[in-house]
Every structure is written in C-alpha cells, then in structure tokens.
Amino acid sequence: MSILDRFIHPPAPRIEAVGTEAAARLAAIHASAFARPWSTLDFERLLGERGVVADGLFLGRTAKPVGFTLSRIVLDEAEIITVAIAAEARGKGHARPLLSRHLDALARRGVARVHLEVEEGNAPALAVYRRLGFRDIGRRDGYYRKADGTTVAALTMALDL
C-alpha cells in the first residue's frame, strides 16, 4: 500500500470490545455528548462489573475509540446503558454499524431482548434505534435533567433479537 492509498482508501472503521483501560477516553466522549457526564471512575466501575459489555468504534489507525456503546446483561435480557460518539465523528453514519455490531455481540451471549431509554427529543438517536427495529414501549416524564435545569421525557424502547 502506498502513502497515497492511505489517503484515498482509509482503513474501514473497526469495532472492538473495550474494557477498563478505555475508561478515561469513554468518559471524555460521554462528556462531549451529555449534559450530566459520567466520570472516569464511573466508567471503571461499570466496565469492571460482571455482565457489562462495551464496544468501541475506532477510525483509521487510531488506538483510541471515537465512540462506544455500553450494555448490562442480566439473564437473557440486556439494557443499553449509554451510547456516545465523539463530536468530530458525529453525523457520519457511525452509530448504526456500532450498534448493529453490539447487538450481534449481545445475541451471541444469549440475549433475547434489549431495552434502552432515550431522550424524547433526540431525533438522530431515535432514527437509528427505529431503523434497527427498536419499538417504543413506554415514556417517563421528566426523566432527563438538562444543563439548564429543565427536564425532558425519556422514551423506553425494546428490541427482540
């Protein structure tokens, strides 16, 4: 491969499992995406729990993820706890393959149903979830607190794998 090929044909994004070694990077991505971010310690604790799985999105030859999804498995069900893409990688179609790969990994672990909650006004996330087959199953008024102190509803969604 020539130097020119690296620019004309950059490596495909890759999705790989991540663990506690990525906690600081996941916290930074989370802080760029949410009004109430989780700390590195929060991620270290979550990633160290039994039944918690995380997949990172890596672009190019970078060793640091630019996105991730994190779920907790209990018996044959899972909850997607959080999904975030770094600001510089948003809007480029990375969320759908990241989530698809994560859902495949959950299915391989015996998960039959996946749940999640999403802010009612988060149109990009809702579009991705609905394209993947998630359906609305409920609504929680005032669930999310925004940076300005106001609250917004969460939609609860589920997908049978």
Side-chain angles (χ1 to χ4, degrees):
M1 175 183 286
S2 74
I3 296 283
L4 187 57
D5 283 336
R6 290 183 184 181
F7 294 103
I8 296 172
H9 305 289
R14 64 187 199 286
I15 298 159
E16 300 173 0
V18 294
T20 56
E21 77 288 344
R25 180 63 183 150
L26 301 190
I29 295 168
H30 197 266
S32 77
F34 293 97
R36 298 182 63 178
W38 299 346
S39 70
T40 298
L41 182 57
D42 292 330
F43 277 98
E44 287 173 348
R45 287 180 179 156
L46 275 168
L47 293 164
E49 286 182 23
R50 183 177 180 197
V52 171
V53 294
D55 288 309
L57 169 69
F58 299 83
L59 300 179
R61 290 169 178 74
T62 181
K64 292 182 178 181
V66 297
F68 69 92
T69 185
L70 188 136
S71 295
R72 178 179 287 122
I73 301 170
V74 178
L75 301 174
D76 66 343
E77 294 193 343
E79 176 188 12
I80 295 177
I81 301 169
T82 190
V83 177
I85 305 286
E88 69 273 13
R90 285 186 205 137
K92 298 180 180 170
H94 296 305
R96 189 171 180 185
L98 172 62
L99 283 162
S100 292
R101 176 81 178 265
H102 189 73
L103 293 169
D104 288 343
L106 293 175
R108 285 192 307 274
R109 290 174 176 250
V111 171
R113 190 167 205 206
V114 180
H115 302 268
L116 62 82
E117 294 166 340
V118 60
E119 184 180 311
E120 185 175 50
N122 189 341
L126 286 165
V128 170
Y129 297 142
R130 288 183 175 135
R131 273 189 231 119
L132 290 169
F134 281 88
R135 65 186 190 292
D136 296 10
I137 59 170
R139 185 175 188 276
R140 294 183 176 158
D141 291 325
Y143 186 78
Y144 289 108
R145 183 169 306 281
K146 298 185 102 30
D148 66 3
T150 60
T151 60
V152 293
L155 296 179
T156 57
M157 303 179 86
L159 171 69
D160 293 325
L161 298 179

